[in-house]
Amino acid sequence: MDAVIDGRAAEAGDVALAVSARYGHFTAMQLRGGKVRGLRWHLERLTAATRELFGLELDLDLVLRSVRELGAVDASVRVYVCDAGGVRVIAVSGPPVRLPTTPKGLRSVRYQRFLPHIKHTGGFPQGYLGRLAELEGYDEALLTSQDGVISEGAITNLGCFDGDRVVWPDAPMLHGVTMRVLESELARAGVPCERRVLRVADLPGFPVVFLANSWGVVAVDRVDGHRLKVDEALMAGVTGCYEAAPWDSF
């Protein structure tokens, strides 16, 4: 894994700084050919969270320079804005992830993230719940309130397509960059989106339920004990909209 701190290549002595940077937020992206989908929304996310958590304006030129300094072409990249002896920008890269197209299974859990609108660095509960879901034979945890209202996946957004419109949960959640990219492309294709209160029992009524995150978009075929339909033609329409999104240069 490569790392850049405040626009310069990380050195051995920077390990302690990175480890100590636990208060902060980040954005995650997939680069292909040195480009990313939804760059403006990644930058908007980082800017808004920096204002809320630190009361400061983020140096976006430093963010872009840090990513460029990684020299990543096809890669998974994360940009962290953290408090480590002052506000620092840390960019790291690793191997690219290509999301398998096999439909996924979800295990619902009663949990909601603290400050869900921020992609903050306190991800241990989600990691733990995701691991438990995998041990039970599922691919992802589906987060719900105490009364069963769906918010989001542990590391994903959940969407439902009824053939006419895409429905997202009406609940506190992260407005993910891939979700925003998809909303933009769906609007371009004339497909509206709306928010609606959703529970697990509602999901079998949709011909397509899907997950979206920086890895891509994939169908869901089961939630807990419920088998879900996967209308392949409708799912191809959702995937096609996402794949039509432009790639942005740094």
Side-chain angles (χ1 to χ4, degrees), residues 105-126:
L106 306 181
R107 180 72 171 94
S108 65
V109 296
R110 296 288 197 266
Y111 179 75
Q112 291 188 295
R113 296 189 307 112
F114 179 69
L115 295 180
H117 62 288
I118 293 180
K119 195 174 180 71
H120 50 73
T121 53
F124 176 83
Q126 295 145 266

Side-chain angles (χ1 to χ4, degrees), residues 47 50-51 54-60:
T47 297
T50 298
R51 286 175 184 156
F54 299 109
L56 298 171
E57 290 300 313
L58 180 63
D59 184 344
L60 294 181

Side-chain angles (χ1 to χ4, degrees), residues 41 44-45 175-185:
W41 288 306
E44 285 179 12
R45 162 187 284 173
H175 196 178
V177 170
T178 298
M179 176 179 170
R180 296 182 72 169
V181 169
L182 187 54
E183 286 176 326
S184 177
E185 294 304 313

Side-chain angles (χ1 to χ4, degrees), residues 193-233:
C193 295
E194 68 177 46
R195 300 287 185 95
R196 191 184 304 169
V197 172
L198 295 172
R199 291 179 168 82
V200 169
D202 298 322
L203 301 184
F206 291 92
V208 168
V209 177
F210 62 90
L211 300 177
N213 72 356
S214 63
W215 296 352
V217 180
V218 66
V220 175
D221 66 355
R222 62 192 176 106
V223 180
D224 299 338
H226 302 275
R227 279 285 171 183
L228 307 185
K229 300 181 291 291
V230 179
D231 185 310
E232 294 185 3

